[in-house]
């Protein structure tokens, strides 16, 4: 089977420099959704028809299994399919999809293919408000006769509520002959793919129809209003899947998944969270409200409290992160580690049971187990030109407001006094402190305001 995806249209109503089919839903380009669904049907040929912004679209969606056909100028949907012909297998069926109808489901397409057999199949939907769509005209016996475009339809034809979704399957061997017979003698001066239905009927090729499971599957994107509406449909669908798997969502209407979210048993997610890229939440993980998680793994039993931002990190089992924590790429927290408010970690390992609970920057550091990092601690990892590592061994205690000027090592069991600026290694099991000795002047008087 061939699959042709039409994506040459301009999308004027998006008011954007980005070609329409590259606008995202769930963090992924509209046409990328269609490609992904198409691949589930294992076509022998997959061809994308591009036109407006063709080079940008081609580059953005390039893949070894996708060929691109350029349609320039755009003379209609029939003309678009004609451009794909050289890239197709000459036999079997050809399925036509739209690059701007992103949420079509493989199961629906399977049903359409089954209904069509070796004939023509049209995916139709009956709409309460069919304005703008091509109408499906049937004879007294209910057989499809043709599709008439809104602009070419009589008032009686416009009263028909069964519409063409645009998704169609046709026998490839007939395609070329039918496309050559198309004329553009119609209201829009275009070569309509939809006119192939009447040609099939004339040639005695049966035309069958199938319907999508939900209307949003066949909804197109022509404007930002429609893009936003379809984004909500998509998110609702994903939230529903999570609920059915047993994930507890505080509110399925307030979650955004822009990638893949994989959850173990008894995961709970509060409102307003955004998941990007590949996120894995293991068993009994708890995500507080308004967290952003991108490409992270959270191990079993860990808890991420409100307003935390995690990217490219691994959080160990039963660890506690946040509220207001930031884990940047390359961060690994051990089991039962604690990272509290206004703490930033980057490219660092925080060992099992270690804590950085308040106001700290830990960058390019390897921190052992059971270490306590006091409030206000900073690893000075950057000298303006190069980055260096800080090593803090097991059971060390870093007093508040310390600066660790890397490269530097704090030995096992060492203690740094508060306010230490560490420029040399701190030996194990000792107190290291770098600050002026405290002194008190007895009887010292504060200055008084001079009277004039
Ligand atoms: C088309 C159908 C109509 C159907 C409707 C569903 C035809 C003639 N009409 O109408 O029956 O109800 O879709 O949304 O097919 N495209 C190209 N090259 C072109 C023209 C279009 O690649 O020259 C692509 C567009 O980018 C879009 C799709 O084909 O993805 C549909 O084009 P559009 O102009 O939206 O067709 P409609 O007039 O809406
Ligand atoms: Mg349209």
């Amino acid at each position: 089977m061939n699959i042709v995806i039409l994506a040459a249209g301009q999308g004027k109503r998006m008011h954007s420099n980005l070609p329409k089919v590259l606008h995202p839903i769930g963090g992924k380009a509209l046409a990328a959704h269609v490609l992904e669904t198409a691949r589930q049907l294992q076509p022998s040929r997959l061809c994308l028809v591009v036109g407006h912004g063709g080079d940008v679209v081609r580059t953005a969606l390039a893949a070894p299994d996708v060929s691109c056909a350029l349609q320039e100028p755009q003379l209609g949907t029939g003309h678009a399919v004609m451009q794909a012909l050289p890239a197709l297998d000459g036999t079997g069926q050809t399925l036509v999809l739209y690059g701007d109808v992103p949420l079509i489901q493989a199961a629906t397409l399977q049903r359409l293919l089954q209904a069509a057999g070796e004939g023509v199949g049209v995916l139709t939907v009956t709409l309460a408000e069919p304005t703008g769509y091509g109408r499906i005209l049937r004879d007294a016996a209910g057989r499809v006769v043709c599709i008439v475009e809104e602009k070419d339809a009589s008032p009686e034809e416009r009263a028909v509520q069964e519409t063409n979704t645009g998704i169609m399957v046709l026998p490839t061997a007939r395609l070329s002959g039918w496309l050559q017979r198309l004329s553009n003698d119609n209201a829009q001066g275009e070569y309509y793919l939809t006119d192939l239905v009447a040609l099939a009927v004339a040639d005695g090729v049966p035309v069958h129809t199938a319907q999508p499971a939900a209307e949003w599957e066949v909804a197109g994107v022509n404007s930002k209003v429609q893009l936003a509406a379809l984004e909500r449909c998509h998110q609702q669908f994903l939230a529903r899947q999570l609920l059915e798997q047993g994930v507890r969502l505080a509110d399925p209407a307030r979650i955004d998944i822009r990638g893949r979210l994989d959850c173990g048993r008894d995961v709970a997610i509060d409102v307003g969270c955004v998941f990007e890229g590949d996120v894995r939440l293991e068993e009994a993980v708890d995500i507080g409200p308004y967290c952003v998680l991108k490409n992270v793994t959270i191990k079993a039993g860990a808890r991420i409290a409100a307003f935390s931002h995690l990217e490219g990190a691994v959080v160990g089992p039963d660890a506690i992160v946040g509220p207001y924590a930031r884990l940047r790429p390359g961060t690994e927290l051990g089991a039962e580690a604690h990272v509290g408010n206004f703490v930033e970690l980057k490219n660092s390992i925080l060992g099992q049971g270690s804590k950085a609970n308040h106001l700290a920057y830990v960058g390019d550091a390897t921190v052992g187990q059971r270490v306590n990092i006091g409030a206000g601690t900073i690893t000075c990892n950057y000298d303006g030109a190069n980055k260096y590592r800080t090593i803090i061994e097991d059971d060390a205690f870093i007093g508040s407001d310390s600066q660790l000027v890397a490269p530097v090592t704090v030995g096992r069991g060492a203690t740094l006094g508060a306010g230490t600026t560490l420029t040399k290694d701190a030996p194990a099991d000792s107190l290291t402190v770098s600050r002026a000795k405290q002194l008190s002047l007895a009887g010292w008087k504060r200055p008084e305001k001079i009277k004039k």
Side-chain angles (χ1 to χ4, degrees):
M1 180 190 45
N2 303 297
I3 298 185
V4 176
I5 300 174
L6 304 189
Q10 183 172 16
K12 255 194 211 138
R13 282 181 285 157
M14 296 298 277
H15 300 293
S16 170
N17 295 332
L18 189 68
K20 175 162 80 171
V21 293
L22 295 186
H23 283 266
I25 278 191
K28 191 163 66 181
L30 299 177
H33 283 270
V34 183
L35 280 171
E36 199 177 287
T37 305
R39 288 190 179 107
Q40 291 176 42
L41 303 174
Q42 297 175 316
S44 57
R45 298 292 167 93
L46 187 47
C47 180
L48 194 64
V49 180
V50 299
H52 279 280
D55 284 341
V56 183
V57 175
R58 193 194 299 259
T59 310
L61 301 172
D65 62 340
V66 178
S67 65
C68 280
L70 182 66
Q71 185 198 19
E72 187 61 70
Q74 288 85 41
L75 303 178
T77 48
H79 178 255
V81 172
M82 205 183 283
Q83 312 313 305
L85 280 180
L88 305 184
D89 276 342
T91 56
Q93 294 288 87
T94 294
L95 175 64
V96 179
L97 304 176
Y98 284 2
D100 58 359
V101 178
L103 302 185
I104 185 69
Q105 299 295 301
T108 292
L109 296 175
Q110 296 281 19
R111 271 189 286 110
L112 175 66
L113 291 168
Q114 217 140 53
E118 292 180 353
V120 170
V122 181
L123 191 68
T124 75
V125 63
T126 299
L127 299 174
E129 184 40 81
T131 307
Y133 294 99
R135 306 299 206 281
I136 309 296
L137 302 187
R138 293 177 183 266
D139 64 15
R143 285 178 301 231
V144 175
V145 174
C146 67
I147 300 176
V148 59
E149 291 304 296
E150 162 108 3
K151 288 186 175 134
D152 303 291
S154 67
E156 300 80 61
E157 290 166 342
R158 286 185 192 186
V160 172
Q161 289 180 310
E162 187 184 6
T163 67
N164 172 32
T165 64
I167 292 173
M168 214 178 270
V169 56
L170 307 122
T172 313
R174 301 270 194 166
L175 207 48
S176 164
W178 285 342
L179 288 169
Q180 274 160 33
R181 279 155 68 191
L182 283 183
S183 114
N184 64 351
D185 182 16
N186 52 51
Q188 303 184 78
E190 286 183 4
Y191 296 94
Y192 291 164
L193 184 65
T194 45
D195 284 350
L196 261 46
V197 168
L199 294 176
V201 171
D203 286 356
V205 176
V207 179
H208 301 283
T209 58
Q211 284 71 41
E215 257 182 43
W216 53 257
E217 280 188 52
V218 296
V221 173
N222 297 297
S223 66
K224 295 279 168 66
V225 172
Q226 289 171 337
L227 183 70
L230 222 47
E231 176 77 57
R232 285 306 103 203
C233 289
H234 179 58
Q235 294 301 337
Q236 262 171 45
F237 178 72
L238 297 178
R240 172 96 202 192
Q241 283 184 335
L242 290 174
L243 291 169
E244 280 168 358
Q245 287 161 25
V247 175
R248 186 159 63 82
L249 300 179
D251 182 355
R254 283 184 286 169
I255 181 169
D256 281 88
I257 299 164
R258 301 175 191 151
R260 257 195 35 202
L261 174 59
D262 182 18
C263 293
R265 281 177 90 80
D266 294 309
V267 164
I269 301 172
D270 212 325
V271 300
C273 293
V274 178
F275 299 91
E276 295 180 64
D278 278 323
V279 175
R280 163 94 188 127
L281 308 180
E282 290 187 356
E283 196 160 311
V285 161
D286 189 300
I287 310 291
Y290 303 104
C291 291
V292 178
L293 276 70
K294 181 174 183 180
N295 296 323
V296 297
T297 296
I298 315 290
K299 302 256 172 100
R303 186 154 60 86
I304 313 297
F307 301 108
S308 294
H309 190 287
L310 284 68
E311 180 178 356
V314 178
V315 173
D318 300 310
I320 301 175
V321 174
Y324 297 103
R326 180 163 185 214
L327 305 188
R328 290 170 53 201
T331 297
E332 278 179 44
L333 306 188
E336 293 166 42
H338 291 187
V339 172
N341 39 254
F342 309 110
V343 172
E344 173 182 347
L345 280 96
K346 185 215 74 169
N347 192 27
S348 291
I349 296 168
L350 190 65
Q352 179 167 351
S354 289
K355 295 174 184 172
N357 272 333
H358 334 265
L359 299 152
Y361 173 62
V362 179
D364 301 311
T366 304
V367 180
Q369 303 186 2
R370 300 171 302 278
V371 169
N372 194 324
I373 295 180
T377 297
I378 290 173
T379 56
C380 308
N381 59 327
Y382 186 49
D383 62 6
N386 298 298
K387 300 242 163 100
Y388 300 96
R389 279 199 91 73
T390 299
I391 315 265
I392 303 175
E393 294 179 354
D394 294 349
D395 299 298
F397 180 98
I398 312 297
S400 297
D401 200 25
S402 292
Q403 300 99 49
L404 285 71
V405 182
V408 75
T409 297
V410 177
R412 176 184 275 266
T415 301
L416 295 198
T420 292
T421 300
L422 193 73
T423 51
K424 292 180 292 216
D425 291 354
D429 300 316
S430 316
L431 171 67
T432 299
V433 61
S434 79
R435 59 170 109 112
K437 270 221 156 60
Q438 183 167 323
L439 66 108
S440 302
L441 301 182
W444 179 81
K445 292 271 183 295
R446 283 188 201 162
E448 281 178 12
K449 194 153 184 128
I450 299 165
K451 285 185 185 115
K452 285 184 194 144

